[in-house]
Amino acid sequence: MPFRRSCTVSLAVLALALTPPAHAQVPVATARPSVPVRGIAFDSVRGKPIRNAFVAIMGGIPGTTTDTNGRFTFDSVPPGIYTFAMQHAMLDSLGFSGLTARATISAEGDEVRIAVPSFATLWRAACHAGTPPSDSGFIYGNVRSGATRKVVANATIRLMWSEMLLSKNESFRLRNWHLDARSDSLGNYAICGVPVDGGSLRVQATSEFGVTGEIDLPPGEMRVFRRDLTLGAPPGTDSSQRGTIAGILTDNLGDPYFNARVVSAGLPEARTGADGRFVMRDVPAGTRQIEFRSVGMIPIQSVVDIVANDTATVIMQLGRMTTLEGVRVERERRGKALAADFQVRRKLGMGYSMDTTDVLKFANFSSVFANIPSLRAEYRGPNMLLAMSNGRGGFCRPTVRLDGVIASFANLSDLSPHEVAGVEVFPRAAQIPAGYSLPASEPECGMILVWTRYGFRER
């Protein structure tokens, strides 16, 4: 049956939580034959369809899941007026519990569009400003007291980041930046003008009622992010305002992971047991960040809200680092093996990667590095210097490997985009794939792996 009309519905306001109506929608003209209904879920912030989203029709019709193109289909829907509801993990980072769209389905069948509001719409709602700048985003959220769970007005929320500058003598100099905002009478805040390429961003809230830990914001392509914050008593001021973190850590197969380090700033380190469980006691109340680390594993972080005299439960799963033979692989399988390993790491989301299609968008290869998150590039004529965060508020120079062999920044500058098959950037030393670290040494900085077309060729 042809689809003659298109019902396009999108949200036009920024909400702290979008909860579908509790009452069922009553279809009209149910005596008429049911018709198929098609639709698309679209992320207007990134300009992409939303795949693997769950879409349901309020009123008892079974839900469905969007395909790789963000499309969904309901085979048999009686004509009438319905509310369509969508849920997806991506919406959580935006601060939406879900999106809803109300549409009238005619006897001819219709196409429904459920869309995340555009970035410009969200910017105007949160920042009360006109056209947003192309190089900025915003974060927003709500501030509450960990002791009373009530909203906290007039709290200071500070966003912090660092910028690496190159001095005249070609040494790196660190410059720290911050933006401040205040929570309103409802505890809500928004920090606008957040640099998209600001590297490692951290946020912290303080007020007369307490303080949170410094919380890292995850890097990504989203220009909008929500982070709610819970205030706890400052460390050392009120021993009664403490809680416990208990949880379990599993590997990528779901089995308990033994002897992983569990760390949080200012607290004694914990270790997971044979059953994967761990406990951290006497944790200051408030929003805290913990990190799980283990040799050969991708470090992961979790943000936890600690309530005084209560236990927060954390369940996490590590992603295993791919074990590689690196430069020691047998010659006869080198090309295809390295290319296959590159694709595996890319599929697992390890580090930041670009393939030849991405690289060819740039006029010269040196320009690629200025567009990679977590990496700082400085250019002095033909010379290029690269730096990464060292995790301690400073910067370090990453190790460079070209086709698996140690190289220099100058070697990268000599390449043309047509010669490059892939680029991988690992911002942390713990993320470097096994087989690529220097022998008998523990790296202090991350690594850049560049693969040429010749390196991926079977030879």
Side-chain angles (χ1 to χ4, degrees), residues 238-263:
D238 189 349
S239 59
S240 66
Q241 295 297 308
R242 293 178 178 269
T244 300
I245 302 176
I248 183 170
L249 180 67
T250 64
D251 61 19
N252 61 322
L253 298 176
D255 297 323
Y257 193 84
F258 172 65
N259 205 34
R261 299 169 58 199
V262 187
V263 297

Side-chain angles (χ1 to χ4, degrees), residues 269-290:
E269 180 180 295
R271 295 268 182 169
T272 58
D275 58 357
R277 297 184 180 277
F278 68 92
V279 177
M280 303 182 78
R281 306 185 189 280
D282 294 324
V283 181
T287 302
R288 306 290 164 187
Q289 180 171 289
I290 58 176

Side-chain angles (χ1 to χ4, degrees), residues 56-209:
I57 299 178
M58 307 298 290
I61 298 177
T64 187
T65 303
T66 60
D67 62 17
T68 55
N69 295 315
R71 295 196 169 275
F72 60 89
T73 301
F74 291 92
D75 294 329
S76 181
V77 179
I81 302 174
Y82 296 92
T83 296
F84 292 77
M86 178 180 69
Q87 294 181 330
H88 191 272
M90 178 274 299
L91 299 176
D92 296 338
S93 64
L94 289 174
F96 301 137
S97 60
L99 293 180
T100 60
R102 192 172 174 86
T104 300
I105 305 303
S106 68
E108 289 80 17
D110 295 282
E111 183 168 287
V112 177
R113 179 183 173 97
I114 307 178
V116 175
S118 68
F119 177 76
T121 299
L122 298 176
W123 172 273
R124 287 192 295 268
C127 303
H128 307 290
T131 304
S134 60
D135 60 349
S136 299
F138 69 89
I139 67 169
Y140 76 106
N142 186 262
V143 182
R144 291 180 178 271
S145 166
T148 65
R149 300 305 300 161
K150 294 182 178 179
V151 298
V152 176
N154 206 37
T156 298
I157 301 90
R158 170 162 292 187
L159 181 74
M160 300 160 280
W161 72 95
S162 300
E163 180 182 13
M164 183 274 299
L165 302 174
L166 186 65
S167 62
K168 293 182 179 179
N169 61 0
E170 295 192 348
S171 62
F172 290 112
R173 179 169 58 89
L174 188 68
R175 184 168 183 178
N176 296 318
W177 300 89
H178 70 267
L179 290 172
D180 288 344
R182 294 272 186 176
S183 58
D184 62 18
S185 60
L186 299 177
N188 299 324
Y189 76 91
I191 300 179
C192 302
V194 177
V196 174
D197 60 348
S200 178
L201 300 172
R202 292 169 295 153
V203 66
Q204 183 178 35
T206 58
S207 83
E208 59 181 317
F209 299 101

